[in-house]
Amino acid sequence: MSVLNSFSLEGKVALVTGGAYGIGFAIAEAYAQAGAKIAFNCRGQEHLNKALEDYAAKGIDAKGYICDVTDEEQVKNMVASIKEDLGVIDILVNNAGIIKRIPMTEMSAEEFRQVIDIDLNAPFIVSKAVLPGMIEKGHGKIINICSMMSELGRETVSAYAAAKGGLKMLTKNICAEYGEYNIQCNGIGPGYIATPQTAPLREIQPDGSRHPFDQFIVAKTPAARWGTPEDLMGPAIFLASDASDFVNGQILYVDGGILAYIGKQPK
């Protein structure tokens, strides 16, 4: 096999949770370009229909499923349906997630649990559902979308940071437990990515200046810019392909260097 061929995903079946938009959609698009068959989930029909239209506009024949990834029974049914429609899942990207920016002393336990449920319990549930098929096949790739908050804390994101820190360790444990079956589990830790969800943080202010948070992120990032969903495509293909068969239990931070940088000295 040539080196370039080792990056091919031709014929592979990939499930990208929360793959309807943003980072998940970009990763699914990259996988489709690399030859994979794409499956994704949404929680409602209207959302699903819009996502299918967006995939079709890109020329991608994706299969969408209504599924709440925090519900173990629904996940089992989705995985069974994907097997029937496309084949056994070769690649799982645990991308679905939420964030609630609330000071810890103002956050209810129920709000904390909701973030943990979607950002940490769901990756456990979906990974558990796909692992038997991967073991039977003799190979598999699980990619968890972690975060810089897997390493750092920040005000108002206690639940998110706790979940993403836990997801980092779940990644390492899946590697430890199932590496002998030729299953690789790694994570991607995006930096600050320019998506519709972060657009309000990049709006030009009435006086023509940049949003304070925008200025803060650009100053803290050696690349001096926000990332784009396209910046995640290459790393995601690498971790899903045969090229990464001896890479396991690692978190690849795609952050423009922000975690390596202490920041500029004040003038």
Side-chain angles (χ1 to χ4, degrees), residues 1-264:
M1 178 188 294
S2 74
V3 171
L4 289 180
N5 285 343
S6 71
F7 289 89
S8 172
L9 303 181
E10 194 65 40
K12 299 291 179 67
V13 176
L15 167 60
V16 182
T17 69
Y21 58 88
I23 288 172
F25 186 90
I27 290 174
E29 182 184 354
Y31 287 172
Q33 291 179 19
K37 294 178 279 187
I38 305 300
F40 69 98
N41 79 293
C42 290
R43 296 182 72 171
Q45 189 65 51
E46 185 177 347
H47 197 192
L48 182 70
N49 292 342
K50 175 62 169 63
L52 288 171
E53 290 176 5
D54 291 341
Y55 276 109
K58 294 279 189 178
I60 300 169
D61 183 21
K63 297 288 186 183
Y65 302 84
I66 294 176
C67 178
D68 177 354
V69 289
T70 68
D71 186 308
E72 195 162 10
E73 198 61 34
Q74 288 188 38
V75 169
K76 287 179 183 177
N77 291 337
M78 177 179 66
V79 170
S81 295
I82 294 170
K83 180 179 180 180
E84 184 175 332
D85 295 340
L86 300 175
V88 174
I89 294 167
D90 300 286
I91 303 158
L92 166 64
V93 180
N94 282 310
N95 166 74
I98 62 168
I99 186 169
K100 289 182 179 291
R101 294 181 177 90
I102 305 171
M104 186 172 169
T105 55
E106 299 173 17
M107 179 176 248
S108 70
E110 182 55 36
E111 288 169 326
F112 188 92
R113 288 190 193 100
Q114 185 183 10
V115 175
I116 298 295
D117 204 24
I118 295 172
D119 292 4
L120 181 56
N121 288 343
F124 164 77
I125 289 168
V126 185
S127 297
K128 177 184 173 184
V130 305
L131 276 165
M134 291 179 173
I135 292 170
E136 187 175 345
K137 254 192 165 181
H139 71 82
K141 303 280 185 175
I142 297 175
I143 300 161
N144 292 323
I145 302 303
C146 295
S147 167
M148 292 190 303
M149 299 301 107
S150 298
E151 302 290 342
L152 300 173
R154 190 171 176 275
E155 62 275 9
T156 77
V157 295
S158 57
Y160 184 80
K164 293 300 186 177
L167 187 57
K168 176 183 74 172
M169 293 312 300
L170 178 63
T171 300
K172 293 177 179 291
N173 206 79
I174 292 173
C175 157
E177 200 162 348
Y178 296 101
E180 67 180 290
Y181 299 102
N182 192 29
I183 294 169
Q184 291 83 51
C185 182
N186 294 288
I188 293 177
Y192 284 90
I193 306 297
T195 66
Q197 288 71 38
T198 59
L201 301 175
R202 290 176 281 107
E203 286 181 348
I204 298 299
Q205 302 302 286
D207 63 0
S209 66
R210 297 167 72 172
H211 191 290
F213 192 80
D214 184 11
Q215 295 179 46
F216 167 69
I217 291 304
V218 171
K220 287 288 292 181
T221 306
R225 66 174 177 88
W226 287 63
T228 67
E230 290 73 24
D231 286 320
L232 300 167
M233 288 179 163
I237 288 175
F238 167 64
L239 291 178
S241 71
D242 294 343
S244 61
D245 278 355
F246 205 56
V247 178
N248 212 351
Q250 304 301 309
I251 313 299
L252 175 55
Y253 289 100
V254 185
D255 65 355
I258 194 169
L259 282 175
Y261 187 43
I262 196 171
K264 293 180 181 178

